[in-house]
């Protein structure tokens, strides 16, 4: 993986690369992904059956998807990518202008991850004039991570580390709920680090926001458009 990453940084003529079933994982996977981010010639890449599911290499693959402006087909199936990885990849996919086919088969991202990727593909399609094709076979079973973000049931309290691509993806989704009036961020105290001014959002609390102890309770809607109390 390390050598291939260096090659990708320097090579400008290679257009197709099949690295499937090469046991690329760990640091090698991270360096490969970082090299891909600096490549501007590759059109097709097959990374199936490797180990890009860890947080660092998966996040780097997402960044590479956004910045590699020639890549059209990416097969990253069966890489043990979970909902955290799907969240990071979805955040970058919606900003991509060239990906036409993304194959995620066999990754345990569950239905929340599937929804995130489909929403990201839809946004990319609106921006670019064509939606990327997604292959999501055998992805409906999550890997068993508990307390992971579910865009269909987003209400709750979150501790977010913006150095983590997964957390950044969660915050982006929550901000979208807030900006569209489907949820509301409570004012936070000094210990909680983020204020309404810092978020640069100008919005009044919706009718279903509850004020108590000088703080609002966050009431975000579920997938059917209603919050936990049944308010639309």
């Amino acid at each position: 993986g390390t050598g291939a990453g260096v090659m990708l940084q320097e090579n400008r003529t290679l257009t197709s690369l099949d690295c499937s079933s090469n046991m690329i994982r760990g640091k090698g996977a991270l360096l490969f992904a970082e090299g891909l981010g600096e490549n501007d010639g590759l059109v097709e890449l097959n990374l199936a059956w490797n180990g890009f599911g860890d947080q660092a290499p998966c996040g780097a693959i997402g960044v590479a998807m956004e910045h590699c402006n020639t890549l059209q087909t990416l097969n990253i199936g069966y890489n043990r990518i979970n909902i955290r990885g799907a969240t990071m990849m979805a955040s970058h996919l919606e900003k991509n202008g060239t990906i036409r086919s993304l194959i995620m088969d066999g990754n345990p991202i569950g239905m929340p991850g599937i929804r995130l990727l489909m929403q990201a593909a839809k946004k990319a399609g609106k921006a670019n004039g064509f939606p990327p094709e997604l292959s999501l076979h055998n992805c409906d079973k999550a890997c068993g991570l508990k307390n992971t973000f579910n865009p269909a049931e987003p209400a709750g309290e979150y501790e977010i580390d913006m150095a983590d691509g997964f957390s950044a993806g969660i915050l982006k989704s929550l901000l979208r709920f807030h900006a569209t009036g489907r949820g509301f961020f409570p004012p936070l105290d000094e210990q909680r680090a983020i204020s309404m001014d810092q978020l640069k959002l100008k919005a009044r609390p919706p009718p279903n926001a509850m004020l108590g102890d000088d703080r609002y309770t966050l009431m975000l809607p579920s997938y059917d458009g209603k919050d936990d109390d049944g308010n639309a």
Side-chain angles (χ1 to χ4, degrees):
T2 303
V6 173
M7 180 272 293
L8 286 172
Q9 290 179 351
E10 299 175 353
N11 190 289
R12 297 293 183 270
T13 58
L14 184 68
T15 59
S16 181
L17 180 62
D18 186 350
C19 290
S20 59
S21 303
N22 264 282
M23 295 187 292
I24 305 173
R25 58 183 182 273
K27 186 177 180 179
L30 174 59
L31 293 174
F32 184 104
E34 290 176 344
L36 177 63
E38 298 185 26
N39 182 276
D40 58 4
L42 204 60
V43 177
E44 297 182 49
L45 176 60
N46 187 351
L47 294 176
W49 296 99
N50 283 294
F52 284 86
D54 293 337
Q55 181 172 322
C58 190
I61 282 288
V63 172
M65 286 171 53
E66 182 177 343
H67 292 104
C68 183
N69 56 17
T70 58
L71 190 63
Q72 296 183 15
T73 302
L74 174 61
N75 184 344
I76 195 166
Y78 298 93
N79 268 265
R80 297 181 291 108
I81 297 172
N82 55 32
I83 180 60
R84 294 176 63 88
T87 302
M88 291 186 285
M89 293 188 69
S91 178
H92 294 288
L93 175 62
E94 64 183 51
K95 301 175 186 176
N96 179 278
T98 60
I99 289 284
R100 293 181 177 269
S101 176
L102 176 62
I103 302 169
M104 290 281 292
D105 299 346
N107 288 304
I109 62 177
M111 289 308 299
I114 291 174
R115 290 192 193 101
L116 285 171
L117 287 168
M118 292 180 69
Q119 290 168 358
K122 183 178 180 180
K123 289 183 176 66
K126 287 183 178 179
N128 304 323
F130 60 88
E133 294 182 1
L134 297 180
S135 182
L136 298 164
H137 298 293
N138 300 321
C139 289
D140 55 327
K141 293 184 179 180
C143 64
L145 287 178
K146 296 182 178 180
N147 301 320
T148 55
F149 176 67
N150 183 348
E153 297 291 343
E157 293 188 1
Y158 297 84
E159 293 183 4
I160 292 177
D161 177 5
M162 293 306 292
D164 176 0
F166 173 64
S167 293
I170 289 176
L171 180 59
K172 185 174 182 179
S173 295
L174 294 175
L175 287 171
R176 185 177 293 116
F177 276 115
H178 184 107
T180 56
R182 297 168 61 198
F184 181 72
F185 279 103
L188 302 179
D189 55 31
E190 294 181 359
Q191 287 73 32
R192 300 235 171 185
I194 299 177
S195 69
M196 291 296 289
D197 289 338
Q198 288 173 315
L199 289 175
K200 297 181 180 179
L201 292 172
K202 303 297 183 181
R204 294 184 179 182
N208 59 350
M210 300 172 60
L211 178 62
D213 298 327
D214 297 324
R215 294 180 57 201
Y216 285 102
T217 299
L218 182 58
M219 305 284 285
L220 287 171
S222 60
Y223 188 62
D224 61 4
K226 298 180 180 179
D227 62 31
D228 294 336
D229 292 333
N231 298 307

